Structure formats: C-alpha cells, structure tokens
C-alpha cells in the first residue's frame, strides 16, 4: 500500500512534491480567468517514475502473454518449451550455429534462408531446432514446429485450411524428415506443405536422419520434388553430437 504524500505549498503559491521537490502545479500565464491565472496539474519526477514503471510492467506482461500464447501454438509437445540455449548441456558443438542463426535472424528472414539439420538419431537436431524456435519466440516472432508424420496425416478435408494457416508464421520448422508415410497421398501432403511455404519466400528449418547424399541419390519423383524444394531454401548443417537418448535400462535407472 502506497504511503500518501502530502504536497507542500511553495513561496510562489504552487504545490510541490515533498519527496523530489518538483512542482505539482503549473501556472499558465497566457490563460487568465476571473480569479487570476489558470493553474493546472504537473507530474513531478515521482509521478513520472511511477508511470514509467507501470508502463514497463504492462509492456512486460503483454510480452509474456504473447510469447506464452505463441509458444503453446508452436510446439506439439509442451516440454519443448524448455529446450533453450540456456538449458543446453553443451554436448553439441554445432549449437553455436543455431545461436548465430538467431543473431542474424532479420537477414535470414529477409533472404528466406533456412537450415537442414542432419545427423544420427539422438544427436540433438530437434533440440537445436527447438532452441532456435524458443529464442525467436522471445523476440515475438511466430514459429510453427511440426513433424513430417503429422503433415503426412493431414486429411483432405483440412488440407487447404492448414496450408492457409501457414502464412501467418515467420518460420516453419519441420522435424524428422524420412519418418513420413510413403503413400502417394502422404507424400503429396508433404510436398504441398513445403511447396506452399517455399512460395512465401520465408525461411524453413528441417531436421532429418538422412544425409544430403542419401537425399540426392536414387529417389523417386515424389521425394525428388520435396528434396529439391528443401535444398533450394535450406543450408545443410551436420549435427554430430553424442546420442542424447537414454536406453530403456538408463531411463529406468534414472526414474
């Protein structure tokens, strides 16, 4: 509860703040009333500081609300919101490339420059992608992170709606390329999503266990079209960190 400050009257007849000493009133010499010059309220340093703090608190609350809302939309799994640069255990040397990507985000977004993070199972690719997402979400960018299995299962009834929703995001992260179903319908879904995003000119990040050489050789026409779009927009980055995934025995021991 704020202590009430009682103004004091100065020799000029105006009220002053007893804390900062600044006047709380201002005499408008150009405005004369029947009782004399018009006197109006003036915010002293204490009031201005209080307003600044309230404005800062309101701005911070609005920021936190926006970031939290966008984070809930971004991630398919809640725990991914904790996969940040700050929580990184330092086992993946390539994480600095992810930090650099965030640092140069404005240029990457302008140029539509994305990343293709490839490496063995458990090497930290998905964590890297989520860390980038979390950092950009803090900057109030809108990011959507989904896996290829989710994309390949989009029904024909919702396909157009999902494609239209993509346009509202600044960055699309597609996880686990190669895990999608290989039916004609599923692959068409994957191509439609990537092609629609490619046409926006916005950046995209893709993670996969496949190497670029594996992606380039011996693919059927459907996969070739998908990979062509990805290579046209994403810079390949090899992620060679040690496996972060626990064996069933380790998971049981740590439980």
């Amino acid at each position: 509860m704020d202590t009430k400050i009682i103004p004091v009257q100065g020799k000029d007849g105006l009220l002053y703040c007893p804390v900062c000493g600044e006047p709380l009133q201002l005499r408008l010499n150009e405005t004369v009333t029947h009782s004399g010059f018009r006197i109006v309220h003036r915010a002293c340093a204490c009031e201005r500081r209080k307003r600044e703090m309230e404005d800062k608190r309101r701005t911070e609350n609005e920021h936190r609300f926006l970031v939290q809302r966008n984070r809930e939309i971004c991630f398919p799994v809640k725990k991914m919101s904790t996969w940040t640069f700050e929580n990184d255990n330092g086992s993946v040397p390539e994480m600095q490339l992810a930090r650099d990507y965030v640092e140069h985000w404005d240029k990457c977004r302008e140029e539509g420059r994305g990343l293709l993070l490839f490496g063995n199972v458990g090497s930290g690719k998905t964590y890297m992608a989520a860390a980038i997402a979390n950092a950009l979400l803090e900057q109030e960018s809108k990011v959507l992170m989904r896996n290829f299995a989710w994309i390949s299962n989009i029904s024909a009834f919702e396909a157009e709606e999902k494609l239209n929703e993509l346009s509202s995001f600044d960055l699309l992260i597609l996880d686990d390329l190669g895990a999608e179903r290989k039916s004609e319908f599923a692959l068409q879904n994957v191509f439609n999503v990537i092609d629609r995003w490619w046409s926006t000119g916005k950046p995209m990040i893709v993670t996969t266990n496949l190497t670029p050489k594996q992606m380039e050789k011996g693919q059927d026409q459907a996969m070739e079209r998908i990979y062509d779009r990805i290579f046209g927009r994403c810079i390949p980055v090899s992620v060679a960190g040690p496996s972060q995934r626990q064996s069933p025995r380790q998971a049981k021991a740590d439980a």
Side-chain angles (χ1 to χ4, degrees):
M1 184 174 175
D2 294 337
T3 303
K4 187 174 182 180
I5 298 176
I6 301 177
V8 296
Q9 190 170 39
K11 294 180 179 180
D12 55 5
L14 300 178
L15 296 179
Y16 284 75
C17 173
V19 178
C20 66
E22 289 192 4
L24 293 170
Q25 294 179 321
L26 180 65
R27 182 179 287 110
L28 300 180
N29 294 331
E30 71 278 7
T31 307
V32 182
T33 66
H34 68 279
S35 58
F37 294 106
R38 184 184 176 196
I39 295 177
V40 297
H41 177 76
R42 175 190 180 277
C44 68
C46 298
E47 288 186 51
R48 296 196 301 273
R49 191 179 308 113
K50 182 179 179 181
R51 289 178 185 174
E52 288 173 1
M53 292 177 63
E54 290 174 346
D55 290 343
K56 182 180 179 181
R57 191 180 304 114
R58 181 170 56 253
T59 299
E60 289 175 350
N61 288 339
E62 291 173 350
H63 170 73
R64 296 315 315 164
F65 175 81
L66 178 61
V67 170
Q68 183 59 31
R69 184 189 66 183
N70 288 342
R71 183 172 280 125
E72 291 173 356
I73 295 171
C74 174
F75 296 115
V77 180
K78 187 176 181 179
K79 69 178 181 179
M80 287 183 171
S81 63
T82 66
W83 294 2
T84 63
F85 293 131
E86 293 74 19
N87 293 334
D88 174 39
N89 62 15
S91 64
V92 181
E94 295 79 13
M95 193 64 75
Q96 184 57 47
L97 294 174
R99 293 176 181 271
D100 292 341
Y101 187 82
V102 172
E103 183 178 349
H104 298 95
W105 166 241
D106 288 340
K107 186 174 182 180
C108 290
R109 177 171 52 185
E110 180 182 349
E111 297 177 354
R113 189 195 318 160
L115 300 173
L116 172 63
L117 306 178
F118 67 94
N120 295 328
V121 173
S123 59
K125 306 179 297 296
T126 302
Y127 190 104
M128 280 182 64
I132 291 173
N134 275 303
L136 295 180
L137 287 166
E138 285 293 337
Q139 298 179 19
E140 299 189 3
S141 293
K142 296 186 67 177
V143 184
L144 182 68
M145 185 170 183
R146 293 293 185 268
N147 60 37
F148 279 90
W150 178 85
I151 293 173
S152 63
N153 287 321
I154 295 175
S155 71
F157 299 102
E158 60 180 350
E160 190 60 31
E161 179 183 354
K162 294 294 184 184
L163 290 173
N164 289 333
E165 287 176 359
L166 293 179
S167 62
S168 65
F169 294 94
D170 302 306
L171 173 67
L172 178 64
I173 300 177
L174 300 178
D175 188 38
D176 210 9
L177 173 64
E180 66 279 352
R181 292 188 292 114
K182 297 301 188 289
S183 69
E184 181 179 349
F185 175 80
L187 293 180
Q188 187 61 50
N189 268 353
V190 172
F191 176 77
N192 288 343
V193 168
I194 292 180
D195 185 62
R196 178 70 67 91
W197 186 261
W198 189 87
S199 67
T200 68
K202 297 178 182 180
M204 171 174 59
I205 294 177
V206 175
T207 76
T208 183
N209 298 333
L210 303 171
T211 67
K213 286 187 177 180
Q214 289 173 321
M215 295 169 66
E216 289 171 351
K217 70 176 183 179
Q219 299 297 334
D220 59 34
Q221 187 174 7
M223 296 305 300
E224 189 176 312
R225 292 196 306 162
I226 293 171
Y227 295 158
D228 181 66
R229 289 287 188 264
I230 293 174
F231 286 128
R233 191 60 57 80
C234 300
I235 300 172
V237 175
S238 174
V239 182
S243 178
Q244 304 296 310
R245 298 191 181 180
Q246 294 178 316
S247 67
R249 181 178 297 179
Q250 289 174 317
K252 186 175 181 181
D254 291 343

